[in-house]
Amino acid sequence: MKYLLITLFLSISAHSQNAKEKVEYQYKKEEYFDFDALEVQGQLLSPGDLTSNADKRVKFQIKNFIRKDFDDYIREDLIDIH
Amino acid sequence: MLKKITILFIFLFFSGNSFASYKKAVSAVKQKNYFAASVHLKRAIGRTNGKKIAILMEKIVPKTGIYAFLDLSMKSLNKIGSSSAVNYVKGKKMFFLKKDKEAIKYFSKVSAGSNFYLQSVLNLASLYEINGQVSKAIKLAKRCVKLSSRGAKVSPSRIRRVSAAFRAYIHDTCEILIPRAYYKQGKIKKSVAHFKRIDSRSYQFPHLLFDSSWAYFRLKNYNRAVGRNLTFQAPLLDNYFLPESEFVKAITYLRLCDYDETIKIIKNFDKNVRKKLQVFQKSFDLKTNRSFPFLDYMKTRKTKKYKKDFITKMYDVLAMKPGIKILEYHYKILKREEKRTKLSDKRAFRSAKADFVKFYNMYIKVKFVGFAKEIIRVSNIMTEMELDIYTFLKNELYDKKNKRKRKRRTSKELVYNYKRKKNQHIYDFNGEFWADELGNYIPLLESSCKGKSAF
């Protein structure tokens, strides 16, 4: 009974304290973004089309597309073995 | 006191129930109802002696396939004692989850005398190759070729014909793994030598053509590189479809500076494959996780006559895969069991059947998604290639023109076929007009016609 009363008292006091301390949140009225400062380092690349400047395109390099292994097909073969 | 009695009662009820599940599994195996037995056995895991379960699994898995046990968690699987069937199921589960190192660990534990040994050796060799242990992979693949020669014991073992085909497939897959591994090591000549040794009756013959075409390409034997892929146009290979073979042709022509032919291949691929892909994707909900009743379609495709289109072609391609043949073999066992299943086992059988059908449908969906992804990948590369050819040709055209202009400035020779008088001169036009020449300016026009003009 004694503990019950103490708990009741504590919870009431905590509630009254919360009511007193009203927290107000304020948001910034204005915010500016300096887009010039957000410069991204890198090469200018684009997929390009027939009208684009050819120098800016990444040129198709045959050697990048030559198959280096058959791992994907080996894995597929294993899916068939079950 | 009452609490203790209740707990004891619950314990006894559940342990009794699990033991009953094990008993039911044993009885179902005796009656050759393997699918129902698999469900009973799964219920007994963790409550019955793990060794007993493992022994029973050795009998069940060859008949039901590994699918019946793939849905078990690793925690549950670890509760079963160690046996070849259990280790094979664990290895395969890890492989599907792309945990290769774990898979290797379990496949290594499959004993040499078991039904699953050959498959395990192939899995091991392949996983070593994928994970960069190429020399080890070659050694194992060579061993696999030896072991899988005629007369080897493999699972499924019930029907001799299926068993023989499965063994042959393992043999041929191990055989092609050797040149593939050499290729990865950069030993291209050795790779070609091994490709040549493979018989044209091999299950892997279509891949032999395709894989070796890459090897020839790297050896700068372009005629052969194209020639190998041209073979896919033969009626005999109509049921094979390797999108990348078109890419090998295109890249070879590009290397030979035959731009017209390259563009032709790319356009053809776009028209005949890429555009049809969208219909294919929509038909089967390939972009979602929903399953499609592929099994029903596969059953009816033999009896009904479907229109020959891209979708039926894809089914034909898939039907040639050994994975489907093995699934069909297990499906036959399932249908046979359905007729003789007792009333007491009906519920368990239904559950096993539902799991099997789910796996079957998902398997086909995974394969179809694989096709779709591959087509998109190849198509994207070819589009890049096409754009660059156009850019190259455009630049080349400008270069030619500039060279001609420079030549003109120095030699003052006129190569263009228009008439002019002696007092008429050619000057570069830079936007300036002279009052006394107005009306007399004519542009230089160049004809692209080679030979006779159509008009």
Side-chain angles (χ1 to χ4, degrees), chain B residues 313-346:
Chain B
K313 166 141 177 128
M314 286 299 101
Y315 269 111
D316 290 343
V317 170
L318 207 62
M320 296 300 286
K321 298 265 176 193
I324 285 287
K325 284 180 180 164
I326 295 163
L327 276 168
E328 275 173 1
Y329 161 75
H330 290 299
Y331 186 66
K332 267 183 195 169
I333 296 180
L334 187 128
K335 291 301 280 178
R336 219 180 295 148
E337 279 187 25
E338 194 167 22
K339 288 171 195 165
R340 60 168 182 251
T341 304
K342 278 182 180 177
L343 198 67
S344 57
D345 283 338
K346 281 272 184 219

Side-chain angles (χ1 to χ4, degrees), chain A residues 34-50:
Chain A
D34 184 5
F35 287 104
D36 292 332
L38 297 170
E39 213 172 277
V40 180
Q41 296 283 313
Q43 221 184 331
L44 182 63
L45 301 173
S46 69
D49 55 41
L50 293 178

